[in-house]
Every structure is written in C-alpha cells, then in structure tokens.
Amino acid sequence: MMPTAHLVYFSPTGTTRKVSESIAQGLGAKKVIHYDLTPADTRFKTVLTDGVAVIGIPVYAGRVPELCLQRLQGITARHIPAVLVALYGNREFEDALVELRDLSVAKGFNIVAAGAFIGEHSFSTPTQPLAAGRPDAEDLTMAEQFGKRVAVKIQGGDYNTPSIDGNVPYRERSKLGGLTPETDSERCILCGKCAEVCPPGVITVSESVATNADGCIMCCACARACEAQARFFIHPRIEEKRAMLQKNSSIPKTPEIFL
C-alpha cells in the first residue's frame, strides 16, 4: 500500500481526473492529495518528496497542451515514482506521453509506468458522438487494475522506466485559438458558469457573454458546464473536424499501458 498518492492533473471536462482517481484507488494510497491544474487561477509551487505521483493530461492533436505544460512547471519532485496518464478522444495519443515523460523527468520524477486512456472527445455532441461516455465503467476498472499493477511493481523495488510509444522530436504542434464556442443569447441566463470553468480564463460575463477567441483552447469545458445548453461549437472547421473524427475513429479503442 502506498502511503501517499499525489494526483496532478489538467482536466477541463473531468475525464482525466476520473482516470487518475481510479489509478490512485488501485494504488491503495492511504492519503490522496489533489493538484488540479485546470482552474484559470491555478498557481502551484510545490516540491513532492514522498509517495507516488499520478500525472494526468488530455491529448491535444498528439501533444500535451501548452497551457498544461506551463502549469506543470511549478511542480517538482525529489525522485519519487510517477505514473503518467494521457487521455485522448479515441483518435491517437501520438507523442503526448513521451513529451510528458521528458518534462516529468526534467522536473525530478522517476517514471515507473504510463497509460493512454480514452475519454469523450471535446468536440463530441449528442448528434455527432465521439467516444461518448468514455471513460466508461470498464475503462475505470482497467485504470484501477493498472494502479494495482503499478503498486506491485513499486513494492517489488522495480523503479525502471518502461518504453513508451511516441516519437522524439515530437510532432509539430497544432495552433489553437481563433475559434471558440458561441453563446445562444436567448437561452443564456448569464449565470457565469462558463467563465468559472474556463481553464485559460478568456470568458467574461456581464450583460452578455464575451470570449477572447485568441486564448481559447477549444476544450469545450464551457459547453459541458452550461446547464442552459447555451454554449456550442458550430464553426465549419469544427464540423469538418467532427466528420473526419467520426469517419477515422469509429472503432472504440482500449487503453494502452506501459509497465
């Protein structure tokens, strides 16, 4: 049993957090400490010296989101074991895990395991579902079993870093920004929930809802959180992307682990 599990995650729609929590459950940690990098006002300056870390990120076009990389800078470690988690929308995780590995090693973590799990794509809608409902119960059970295997590895004194799929140099980063979900003013009740959950903090609510599109990371946390269903992505580029994803990612994938 692990004494402490440090859960470090960036999770705009909660899927990365769910998988990380299931892994921690499998680790059997007596104490679980959360470091949620998602909120716009998040600023951690922490050195982890004991226990095991679970570091979880969503995959954006095969890479770790830049905003996530920035917020991970404040968390370092003194050679404690770490489990890496990449959450992707049933397309490919590509170079995200090796990029996260390289950053984590530079920050003093000893990588003992990694896993790529599937979560509902941020562009998913009821009419154009993309890995809808993932991670599901089976995914979370697999995450918990993965955590149990990691615990056995650590308790056996094996701190070796496994070979992880991905390429170095990493694939070219896709440019984000310029597009953002829109607001239906007739449905919007100006509750401010969209601004509250926006990771880059680019939404303001007064007499109407305004979004700085240049800073939008297209995570769709605002749309998922809107109880009035007044936020949605309908830009032609997004519709084209959804159609492509539905065509090329129609077969449900299963988690991949590296242990």
Side-chain angles (χ1 to χ4, degrees), residues 48-192:
L48 306 182
T49 60
D50 64 348
V52 58
V54 179
I55 307 173
I57 57 94
V59 178
Y60 285 13
R63 298 285 301 274
V64 180
E66 288 185 281
L67 184 61
C68 182
L69 288 174
Q70 294 167 10
R71 294 182 181 175
L72 282 166
Q73 294 300 320
I75 299 181
T76 58
R78 293 179 183 169
H79 306 293
I80 71 168
V83 183
L84 306 182
V85 179
L87 197 289
Y88 70 105
N90 202 56
R91 189 186 67 83
E92 298 288 347
F93 62 93
E94 291 174 296
D95 303 334
L97 273 178
V98 292
E99 183 179 16
L100 183 59
R101 175 200 63 196
D102 295 345
L103 171 66
S104 300
V105 168
K107 289 295 178 180
F109 291 95
N110 180 15
I111 311 307
V112 297
F117 289 80
I118 295 83
E120 185 166 348
H121 199 286
S122 59
F123 294 166
S124 179
T125 68
T127 57
Q128 290 179 293
L130 302 167
R134 308 283 300 271
D136 56 21
E138 185 176 355
D139 292 319
L140 297 179
T141 296
M142 291 182 70
E144 183 177 349
Q145 292 298 323
F146 174 47
K148 290 180 179 179
R149 293 181 63 187
V150 173
V152 170
K153 178 177 180 177
I154 293 173
Q155 289 165 353
D158 182 356
Y159 294 92
N160 291 323
T161 300
S163 176
I164 300 173
D165 287 356
N167 297 306
V168 179
Y170 321 126
R171 61 164 291 165
E172 184 176 354
R173 188 179 294 279
S174 297
K175 179 176 174 54
L176 298 178
L179 299 178
T180 182
E182 299 178 20
T183 303
D184 183 337
S185 59
E186 294 185 0
R187 290 186 177 185
C188 179
I189 60 174
L190 300 175
C191 67

Side-chain angles (χ1 to χ4, degrees), residues 180-184 194 203 209-211 222-223 226 228-233:
T180 182
E182 299 178 20
T183 303
D184 183 337
C194 56
I203 301 175
V209 177
T211 308
C222 58
C226 181
Q229 297 183 329
R231 292 281 287 187
F232 44 83
F233 234 150

Side-chain angles (χ1 to χ4, degrees), residues 127-130 241-251:
T127 57
Q128 290 179 293
L130 302 167
K241 184 74 170 178
R242 285 193 184 109
M244 182 274 289
L245 288 167
Q246 278 197 306
K247 179 180 179 181
N248 298 337
S249 307
S250 59
I251 300 175

